[in-house]
Amino acid sequence: MTASIARAMTETATPLGHLRDRIAHAESIARRDRGATTLIAVSKTRDAAAIQPLIDAGQRVFGENRVQEAQAKWPALQDVTPGIELHLVGQLQSNKAEDAVRLFDAIHSVDRPSLVAALAKAIDKTSRAPACFLQVDIGDEPQKGGCPLADLPALLAEAKAAGLPIAGLMCVPPAGLDAAPYFALTAKLARDHGLTALSMGMSDDFETAVTLGATHVRVGSALFGPRG
Ligand SMILES: *Cc1c(COP(=O)(O)O)cnc(C)c1O
């Protein structure tokens, strides 16, 4: 067996390798470039011992949903391995905006004017520039966060006026329903507003999201196993 085949087999045999293969397959079905999708490994609730093997396997982009949990976990891991990119995928309180801006390279949950203002202030103070995704409440479920669809144009205008580095849109479709229409609508909204990045797709539906144009998929349990 050649070394490259052996390597390909071991890579595919790990959850990370298997997931990368599935993403690449979805990209090819949709005639998208290989590597067009960034895999965010969502490591919320996982400890350093669970995370380090993924870092060792080459994964460099991770997602967390709570600022305090991420602050407790990541600086030590980042000291050992430089070049890790951290994404905040969970809801953010305005009073944690500065902590979030200091730690995270991207924030996926920008969903209201008060948070836009708090982030703009924190960015100004820290001279950092995390990529901002505007979260849309695509399934009309306010408890999940996200900006009501009708308010998106105004929120986008405010974010632009405040100088936020806007990457694109993020959504979390309703559980238990076919996610495809929600992903398609989010992609259309992004196109309509001239935004290129699309954060959508989780463990159960990331392939669908990739075929519909996701540039960032947020995958937790398919990589780490079920959350306890
Ligand atoms: C937890 C979480 C994910 C990952 O969910 P899995 O189903 O474990 O893949 C993705 N996005 C957000 C916003 C999350 O909170």
Side-chain angles (χ1 to χ4, degrees), residues 42 44 65 89 170 172 202-203 218-221 227:
V42 178
K44 64 187 186 198
N65 71 335
V89 301
M170 179 273 216
V172 183
M202 307 179 14
S203 288
R218 311 178 308 267
V219 179
S221 38
R227 272 182 298 275

Side-chain angles (χ1 to χ4, degrees), residues 7-25 34 39 54 57-59 206 222-223:
R7 196 178 327 113
M9 285 181 68
T10 36
E11 278 171 7
T12 304
T14 65
L16 178 61
H18 184 55
L19 204 77
R20 284 188 179 145
D21 285 349
R22 288 172 63 187
I23 290 171
H25 185 63
R34 187 168 186 144
L39 168 62
L54 277 192
Q59 178 66 25
F206 67 88
L223 269 176

Side-chain angles (χ1 to χ4, degrees), residues 19 22-23 26 37-42 44 65 89-90 108 135 138 141 144 170-177 179-180 183 198-211 214-224 227:
L19 204 77
R22 288 172 63 187
I23 290 171
T37 318
T38 298
L39 168 62
I40 303 172
V42 178
K44 64 187 186 198
N65 71 335
V89 301
H108 291 238
Q135 182 179 350
I138 203 72
E141 301 175 289
K144 280 190 180 169
M170 179 273 216
C171 75
V172 183
L177 296 179
F183 292 153
L198 275 175
S199 166
M200 55 189 201
M202 307 179 14
S203 288
D204 289 338
D205 51 25
F206 67 88
E207 284 151 313
T208 305
V210 169
T211 60
T215 60
H216 295 71
V217 291
R218 311 178 308 267
V219 179
S221 38
L223 269 176
F224 291 98
R227 272 182 298 275

Side-chain angles (χ1 to χ4, degrees), residues 8-214:
M9 285 181 68
T10 36
E11 278 171 7
T12 304
T14 65
L16 178 61
H18 184 55
L19 204 77
R20 284 188 179 145
D21 285 349
R22 288 172 63 187
I23 290 171
H25 185 63
E27 286 170 344
S28 80
I29 288 173
R31 303 286 185 273
R32 299 182 62 203
D33 290 343
R34 187 168 186 144
T37 318
T38 298
L39 168 62
I40 303 172
V42 178
S43 50
K44 64 187 186 198
T45 77
R46 317 292 175 170
D47 60 14
I51 295 170
Q52 188 63 50
L54 277 192
I55 298 175
D56 294 342
Q59 178 66 25
R60 288 294 178 273
V61 185
F62 288 87
E64 291 284 342
N65 71 335
R66 305 175 76 141
V67 176
Q68 264 169 314
E69 181 187 336
Q71 279 176 324
K73 225 157 55 175
W74 278 99
L77 288 162
Q78 289 174 305
D79 276 350
V80 177
T81 310
I84 287 173
E85 200 178 294
L86 279 187
H87 292 236
L88 179 65
V89 301
Q91 293 180 44
L92 177 59
Q93 291 171 283
S94 294
N95 63 7
K96 301 228 174 80
E98 187 179 327
D99 287 342
V101 163
R102 287 189 190 280
L103 183 63
F104 289 98
D105 302 291
I107 296 175
H108 291 238
S109 49
V110 181
D111 64 355
R112 58 197 189 278
S114 57
L115 183 56
V116 166
L119 287 170
K121 197 170 150 203
I123 286 170
D124 202 39
K125 183 168 167 191
T126 60
S127 301
R128 293 205 12 113
C132 292
F133 290 77
L134 303 189
Q135 182 179 350
V136 289
D137 180 9
I138 203 72
D140 202 7
E141 301 175 289
Q143 74 281 8
K144 280 190 180 169
C147 158
L149 291 195
D151 298 349
L152 179 61
L155 185 69
L156 183 59
E158 291 201 35
K160 280 185 182 161
L164 292 198
I166 304 162
L169 299 183
M170 179 273 216
C171 75
V172 183
L177 296 179
D178 179 8
Y182 298 96
F183 292 153
L185 177 55
T186 305
K188 181 188 180 325
L189 288 169
R191 267 196 312 276
D192 289 350
H193 291 289
L195 300 170
T196 47
L198 275 175
S199 166
M200 55 189 201
M202 307 179 14
S203 288
D204 289 338
D205 51 25
F206 67 88
E207 284 151 313
T208 305
V210 169
T211 60
L212 290 168

